Each structure stands twice: as C-alpha cells, then as structure tokens.
Amino acid sequence: PHASIPFPTAMAYNMSKAAIDQMAKTAALEVAKFGIRVNIIHPGWIDTPGERKFSSEQALQAGGSFIPLGRLGTSEEIAEAILVLCDPRHGYMTGATLLVDGGISLPWWSLPTE
C-alpha cells in the first residue's frame, strides 16, 4: 500500500514503492515485443520472521486487527500470488500490479461500518 498511500514518516519507502510501479510498467512496455511479461505484487503486512524480530505477538495481532480481513498475511499467500503471475494461463497479463494486502489499500477507514 505504500506506493499509493502516503504513510507518514515513511517518505523514502513510499517513494521507492511508487518507483517500482513505474519501473515495472516501463519494463513491461520495453520487453513486450519479445514476449516477456512484467508484473509485480504489492504485499500488505505479512507475518514474517523479520516482523517478529521487531514486534511482539500481541503487537502483530493488534496491528492485524486493523486490516479489513482482520489479520496479517502469510508468506504462503504471497507465494500463491506469484504462482498466479507465473501461470501461462495468465499469459496476456503484463504491466499489472497484484494487490495481496488483505484489503489494507482499500479506503475502508473512511467508509461507514454499518
């Protein structure tokens, strides 16, 4: 979500994510004539050893509760998304960004809950 949502105190990180979007789209245009596809995944907050190194279980659970699906994602879910992009059945997909973020990039915080 950092590519499209300006998280405070994360300017350089936000900018790098937005730059990756443009890089992938540009690369997709440049190599399409060779039959090469370029797609990217935007993962949300994923439960990884790195996250656990800096956050307690309680903090991860609390943070996950703010995600629309109510939890952090898993590495396995990101791997499954990669398989979708690699699958030849999706051979007409290029220059795409696949959001795998539990809905965190949706504008759910501004919508009524009932």
Side-chain angles (χ1 to χ4, degrees), residues 24-25 28 37-40 93-97:
K25 287 176 173 60
R37 300 180 302 120
V38 179
N39 300 294
I40 60 174
M93 182 188 301
T94 193
T97 300

Side-chain angles (χ1 to χ4, degrees), residues 9-85:
T9 72
M11 185 180 297
Y13 191 74
N14 296 341
M15 290 170 43
S16 70
K17 294 300 184 178
I20 289 170
D21 276 357
Q22 288 304 310
M23 180 193 71
K25 287 176 173 60
T26 302
L29 283 171
E30 291 179 356
V31 300
K33 64 186 172 194
F34 303 111
I36 299 170
R37 300 180 302 120
V38 179
N39 300 294
I40 60 174
I41 290 177
H42 275 245
W45 194 357
I46 306 301
D47 188 350
T48 65
E51 288 294 328
R52 292 186 170 276
K53 182 177 179 180
F54 297 106
S55 299
S56 67
E57 178 68 29
Q58 183 179 0
L60 293 174
Q61 293 290 328
S65 71
F66 288 103
I67 296 170
L69 288 183
R71 62 179 179 81
L72 275 59
T74 67
S75 298
E76 292 79 12
E77 289 169 314
I78 300 303
E80 291 293 328
I82 292 168
L83 289 175
V84 167
L85 294 179

